[in-house]
């Protein structure tokens, strides 16, 4: 590539004058000689020789059209088709007006009529053309990446925007391509191989977008962005690219991953469109074979929703957007069901989103540890509530709270619970703890220690969601628990499904063997209730009796119980 600094006036540019007539050559030499180094040729063949020898330093060619041996048109054609030469601008010299169009079509940059009666005009045109050509080189250098000759990211984004202005109705895909473990290729096989991989992939991409309105750039190291008309054949595209890479470098453990945001929303800004494709691509991290993934709007919205819940939790707690609801549990062993206790279940009344169900935020907060804060809030609220009812009705309605597996790792768990209970004037056995069965199977020795400690302090522990974990009979026999809560899914079809019924029977037998009562959760109908009663289930919780309700509403169950005493 030509070495230059932008329009450096100290460098004398070199100009080639090609004309078969000596007088014309002399005249141009005279006009240009003061500012430029001028070299001369008498015909096309001689000229081509000089051009090739001065390829890197030649700034301009001034070309007569009618010459012996090889005329100007032929030479223009050769220059235009030569990748190295076509950057050199050519000014055509002729007296024929009709030649103008043809020479411009052949790639001439400008046209100077003979005779040369206005030297200042000639000098000005020459200077302008050289500057233009040099600017073009600078632009090309900054807008493309040296290694792959694809656009650089900044220019790529500009061209995408321009594309949208010209073709607002064309359906486009934003695509991100990465080489899997590219740094390892560099480390194991050397930088040259790494470069070859990138150039090969760039060639594949160029082939993919040629003949379309597609655009591409190398974004950074091994990451490529492609903006192309919508298509459905990414499976085939990725396979072809991989085959070409394998062929180029000669080993097979190379693969690419590709994230596609298909049919982009043109109102979204360009950077965001590619961020979106990146989201799809990052889901493929860790894959060892070539693969692609489409951006999934639903998934992304879910992620954004989760993100929002996480950032807003603290504020929501301080603004009391979280409310504890209570669902009654009824003892059905006697003639009439009797209220025995309640389960505290959290509700989030969000000022904009409305009621957010625990299913949306509990697993999320469990995964990032926020659940501890929330649970402690519920534990305190529940204790305050038990005390308030005790004072109001003279009855203790034990309340069970959920203890998630994250809480169990908290070293001061039992001290904290004891403090909550005592500071509300209650005893530990007024308070029930629900721990899901799967927590036991995750980390059995720690949880058994913790549960033993809690029970020694007087707390009652219920095993929640029983039947869904993988407790062995061995482990169950050794487990310190006070009740089993059957998982809802066995109850749902208990009347219709013989297998579920037998499962419940089995779990009831296990409970009998362990000597603990059984709570059936999710009981919605009279039929389910009757069946469970017949099967000797002890306690029922479910919509049949009541949904989880606010404390005020719950009081009617306490009043009923009081009246029947
Ligand atoms: P879980 O502990 O198994 O709670 C029982 C769930 O079943 C509750 O859902 C309850 O509303 C629902 N349910 C009760 N009876 C019926 C019924 O007859 N039919 C149906 N279809 N559903 C019934 P909820 O309140 O949406 O809570 C879902 C889960 O969220 C809970 O499952 C629990 O794992 C968790 N959770 C709720 N509150 C808390 C909390 O304060 N702390 C923690 N760690 N987890 C909580
Ligand atoms: Ca529960
Ligand atoms: Ca449960």
């Amino acid at each position: 590539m030509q070495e230059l600094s932008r329009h450096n006036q100290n460098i004398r540019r070199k100009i080639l004058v090609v004309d078969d007539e000596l007088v014309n050559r002399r005249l141009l030499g005279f006009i240009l000689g003061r500012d430029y180094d001028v070299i001369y040729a008498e015909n096309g063949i001689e000229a081509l020789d000089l051009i090739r020898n001065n390829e890197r330093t030649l700034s301009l060619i001034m070309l007569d059209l009618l010459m012996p041996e090889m005329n100007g048109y032929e030479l223009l054609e050769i220059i235009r088709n030569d990748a190295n030469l076509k950057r050199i601008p050519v000014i055509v010299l002729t007296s024929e007006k009709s030649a103008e169009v043809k020479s411009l079509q052949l790639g001439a940059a400008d046209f100077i009529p003979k005779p040369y009666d206005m030297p200042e005009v000639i000098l000005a045109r020459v200077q302008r053309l050289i500057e233009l050509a040099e600017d073009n080189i600078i632009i090309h250098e900054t807008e493309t990446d040296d290694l792959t000759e694809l656009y650089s990211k900044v220019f790529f984004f500009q061209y995408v925007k321009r594309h949208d202005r010209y073709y607002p109705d064309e359906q486009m895909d934003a695509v991100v391509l990465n080489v899997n473990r590219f740094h390892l290729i560099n480390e194991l096989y050397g930088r040259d191989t790494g470069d070859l991989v990138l150039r090969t992939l760039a060639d594949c991409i160029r082939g993919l977008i040629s003949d379309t309105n597609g655009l591409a750039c190398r974004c950074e190291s091994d990451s490529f962005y492609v903006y192309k008309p919508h298509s459905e054949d990414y499976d085939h595209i990725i396979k072809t690219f991989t085959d070409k890479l394998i062929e180029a470098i000669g080993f097979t453990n190379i693969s690419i991953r590709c994230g596609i945001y298909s049919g982009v929303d043109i109102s979204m800004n360009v950077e965001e469109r590619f961020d979106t494709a990146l989201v799809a691509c990052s889901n493929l991290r860790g894959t060892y074979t070539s693969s692609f993934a489409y951006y999934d709007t639903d998934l992304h919205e879910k992620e954004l929703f989760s993100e929002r819940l996480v950032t807003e939790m603290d504020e929501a707690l301080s603004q009391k957007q979280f409310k504890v609801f209570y669902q009654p549990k009824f003892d059905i062993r006697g003639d009439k069901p009797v209220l025995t206790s309640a389960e505290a279940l959290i509700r989030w009344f969000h000022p904009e989103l409305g009621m957010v169900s625990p299913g949306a935020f509990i697993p999320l907060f469990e995964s990032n540890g926020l659940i501890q804060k929330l649970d402690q809030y519920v534990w305190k609220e529940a204790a305050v509530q038990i005390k308030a009812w005790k004072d109001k009705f003279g009855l203790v309605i034990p309340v069970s709270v959920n203890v998630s597996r994250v809480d169990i790792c908290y070293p001061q768990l039992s001290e904290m619970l004891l403090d909550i209970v005592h500071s509300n004037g209650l005893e530990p056995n007024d308070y029930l703890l629900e721990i899901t069965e799967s927590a036991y199977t995750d980390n059995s020795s720690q949880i058994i220690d913790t549960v033993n400690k809690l029970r020694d302090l007087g707390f009652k522990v219920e095993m929640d969601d029983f039947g869904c974990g993988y407790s062995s009979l061995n482990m169950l026999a050794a487990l310190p628990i006070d009740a089993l809560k059957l998982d809802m899914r066995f109850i749902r079809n208990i009347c219709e499904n013989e297998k579920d019924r037998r499962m419940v029977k089995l779990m009831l037998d296990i409970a009998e063997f362990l000597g603990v009562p059984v709570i059936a959760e999710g009981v919605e109908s009279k039929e389910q209730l009757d069946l469970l009663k017949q099967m000797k289930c002890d306690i029922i919780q479910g919509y049949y009796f009541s949904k989880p309700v606010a404390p005020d509403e719950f009081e009617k169950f306490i009043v009923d119980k009081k009246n029947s005493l």
Side-chain angles (χ1 to χ4, degrees), residues 206-241:
R206 244 190 303 277
L208 175 69
I209 57 176
S210 64
D211 305 326
T212 70
N213 285 326
L215 297 160
C217 77
R218 181 159 77 117
C219 178
E220 59 194 30
S221 108
D222 64 315
S223 173
F224 294 83
Y225 286 2
V226 184
Y227 194 59
K228 61 178 284 298
H230 172 67
S231 67
E232 304 273 350
D233 57 345
Y234 286 97
D235 203 358
H236 175 70
I237 292 171
I238 298 307
K239 192 175 174 324
T240 319
F241 282 17

Side-chain angles (χ1 to χ4, degrees), residues 343 402 434 436 464-466 485-488 521 541:
E343 179 175 6
N402 289 285
E434 296 192 9
T436 183
D464 203 356
D465 310 319
F466 183 63
K485 280 187 93 170
L486 302 187
D487 192 78
M488 261 192 285
E521 203 174 12
Q541 177 183 349

